Amino acid sequence: MDSNTDSTGRPARSGAQSPDGLAALTAAIEGLAAQNLDGLSDAVRAERVLVLRGLLDRLEGQWLEELAGVDARGAAGAEHDVQAGSTAGWLRARLRMGASAAHSSVRTARALFRGPLTGTAQAVADGELSPAHASVLAAGTHDLAAHISAEAEPVLVEAARRLDPPRLRQVVAHLREVIDPDTTASQAERRHGRRGLWLTSTLEGMVALDGLLEPEAGQSLLAALDPLTRPANAEDPRSGSQRRADALTELARRALEGGRLPQTGGVRPQLTCWWTWTASRAGPARVGRSAGWGRWPRRRVGGWPVIVR
């Protein structure tokens, strides 16, 4: 292994020599890491976050350009004097990228720097578009004729300057409907047939979820969950997946308490509670006390009728 890289192929942090032309960048990153931010005002720190994100986007654009060059030359694996089976496979092996991310990176690099999306490449290099926007355009036009992609690119780039990646994906989908309605309709029909939601109760009483939603339905769900998924405060200990789970639960609770759901078999939803006869003789205030529940939180049931068994 080269002395200037670690086991993942990334530049080493121990002060080892960087590849040609990257020494100044490595030094700048080390300098950033060594800075003490405690004395900075909130405004300055917020501005730094925005500026660094823009610089990261431009740097990733440069990475995509160099990735396209390696891919064109068949140089994947050359750092070890071997020939990799594919550029995407090389990225997976050396950088531990997932299969989807590796293939998406290669596809985007080819479309921008070896394909018809030259305007997109320039916009990314100038910091006007993020690599995420470029990835959407590359994925949405990869199977279109090159001249059609080139003709549509100015409109798509302008849309990308105004929209986030999910909304940009909808614009690209609309473009495809206009260009090739038959193919788009068949693809939509296949997606519709693949949709589904699977719920399974575990032995512990939890519920495991798995599913696949059509693009519009998925975006609707994400939009509904987004305001409920944000951390409660800076000390919120929940992980992202836990916040999404809580958001889905909260969304369902609000829908149930709103009273606008259809009736189930002609009867409004009911909550069934099970406990022993001994517990019931202790009175409502004592039910569940042994488990530490205390009184039943009526605000959680939204006025449903409760059936005691």
Side-chain angles (χ1 to χ4, degrees):
M1 179 179 296
D2 294 342
S3 61
N4 64 335
T5 58
D6 63 18
S7 61
T8 67
R10 300 183 179 91
R13 291 177 56 90
S14 60
Q17 183 180 2
S18 298
D20 291 344
L22 298 183
L25 177 61
T26 302
I29 294 174
E30 295 292 346
L32 279 173
Q35 288 180 357
N36 184 352
L37 306 180
D38 292 339
L40 300 180
S41 67
D42 289 347
V44 171
R45 297 188 71 162
E47 184 66 20
R48 283 170 61 94
V49 167
L50 299 178
V51 172
L52 283 172
R53 181 68 260 177
L55 292 174
L56 283 172
D57 286 345
R58 295 184 67 182
L59 184 59
E60 187 170 352
Q62 178 64 31
W63 179 78
L64 288 171
E65 182 175 2
E66 300 204 16
L67 175 62
V70 168
D71 181 64
R73 296 167 67 90
E79 77 283 1
H80 284 169
D81 197 24
V82 298
Q83 180 68 49
S86 68
T87 305
W90 172 66
L91 292 177
R92 294 182 63 190
R94 294 307 310 277
L95 300 181
R96 297 195 296 273
M97 293 179 71
S100 177
H103 285 286
S104 176
S105 295
V106 174
R107 179 176 58 198
T108 302
R110 289 172 178 172
L112 269 59
F113 300 102
R114 296 176 56 196
L117 302 184
T118 56
T120 304
Q122 188 60 52
V124 172
D126 293 341
E128 298 176 1
L129 296 184
S130 73
H133 288 86
S135 177
V136 170
L137 297 185
T141 61
H142 77 281
D143 58 348
L144 297 179
H147 72 278
I148 293 179
S149 297
E151 292 174 1
E153 187 189 24
V155 176
L156 295 176
V157 169
E158 184 59 31
R161 291 190 176 101
R162 302 171 181 271
L163 303 173
D164 59 27
R167 291 185 176 90
L168 178 61
R169 190 174 293 109
Q170 295 177 1
V171 172
V172 176
H174 177 70
L175 170 68
R176 295 182 63 91
E177 289 181 5
V178 174
I179 294 174
D180 191 358
D182 293 337
T183 300
T184 302
S186 62
Q187 291 175 344
E189 186 176 349
R190 286 196 299 271
R191 287 195 298 265
H192 186 71
R194 293 172 58 198
R195 77 195 189 285
L197 181 63
W198 299 271
L199 306 174
T200 304
S201 297
T202 69
L203 295 177
E204 297 176 330
M206 301 184 73
V207 177
L209 292 82
D210 190 14
L212 191 63
L213 301 178
E214 296 174 85
E216 183 176 353
Q219 292 303 319
S220 297
L221 178 61
L222 292 174
L225 290 177
D226 180 66
L228 302 174
T229 307
R230 297 166 187 166
N233 50 55
E235 289 76 33
D236 193 333
R238 297 174 299 166
S239 66
S241 60
Q242 289 173 333
R243 284 188 280 110
R244 285 190 294 273
D246 292 345
L248 184 60
T249 302
E250 178 67 11
L251 189 65
R253 184 188 69 81
R254 294 189 181 196
L256 290 168
E257 290 189 350
R260 300 177 61 182
L261 294 177
Q263 295 181 348
T264 303
V267 181
R268 289 182 58 81
Q270 301 183 30
L271 181 63
T272 302
C273 303
W274 297 79
W275 59 73
T276 65
W277 170 250
T278 302
S280 65
R281 294 184 65 188
R286 299 295 301 175
V287 174
R289 183 63 58 83
S290 61
W293 296 345
R295 289 183 178 273
W296 186 268
R298 290 186 58 81
R299 64 182 180 84
R300 303 290 290 182
V301 296
W304 297 350
V306 177
I307 301 176
V308 180
R309 297 179 185 271

